[in-house]
Amino acid sequence: MREHGVLKRVLLIYREVMNRIDSKRDFPPDVVISSAKLIRAFVEDYHEKLEEDYLFPRFRKANKLVDLVDVLNQQHQKGRVLTIGHPTGQPVSTQGCQPAREPSEHAVPVRPHV
Ligand SMILES: [Fe+2]
């Protein structure tokens, strides 16, 4: 899916931020917040929702790859908590937008997705 390209690019940003943190270099925090907002709006609320609403039920109905669908669904839910750090799904704002403690926390659950 072309939409996965957006996620791959954000993961590259997260990776760069991780590298900068590891090497104690500065990074622009607004880039991380913007990336988390993009993940929330495009990947989680749009792309993953389409998968959950239209693809996953078809796989389940056909009894194909159900274990994988279950894992992907769990990853979606986990990623949503990590992106914002707030399980209630409150609207994203600069004040409330807390990217995962470590960028890798989001990268881990979504990397198998792409
Ligand atoms: Fe996907």
Side-chain angles (χ1 to χ4, degrees):
M1 279 186 167
R2 286 183 298 176
E3 294 168 6
H4 289 155
V6 174
L7 178 57
K8 287 179 180 177
R9 285 167 176 79
V10 173
L11 293 178
L12 289 173
I13 293 169
Y14 282 1
R15 173 62 59 192
E16 173 62 20
V17 169
M18 279 177 27
N19 290 340
R20 289 186 185 200
I21 290 171
D22 288 345
S23 61
K24 304 197 182 322
R25 290 181 291 150
D26 290 340
F27 64 90
D30 55 321
V31 169
V32 177
I33 292 172
S34 297
S35 297
K37 288 179 178 179
L38 181 61
I39 289 283
R40 171 50 56 101
F42 183 75
V43 174
E44 296 171 346
D45 290 349
Y46 171 70
H47 174 81
E48 291 179 353
K49 182 145 179 33
L50 287 176
E51 291 176 336
E52 292 163 7
D53 290 349
Y54 298 103
L55 290 180
F56 294 175
R58 293 179 73 178
F59 279 101
R60 288 191 173 107
K61 185 176 180 182
N63 201 27
K64 302 278 186 189
L65 302 172
V66 174
D67 290 345
L68 175 61
V69 167
D70 289 343
V71 168
L72 288 171
N73 194 51
Q74 290 170 5
Q75 289 175 344
H76 289 182
Q77 305 315 313
K78 175 92 172 165
R80 288 178 177 128
V81 171
L82 294 175
T83 297
I84 302 303
H86 198 293
T88 63
Q90 294 292 320
V92 176
S93 71
T94 303
Q95 184 76 25
C97 186
Q98 296 294 322
R101 263 185 307 112
E102 296 286 337
S104 60
E105 288 182 348
H106 195 272
V108 170
V110 299
R111 188 169 299 281
H113 177 103
V114 294

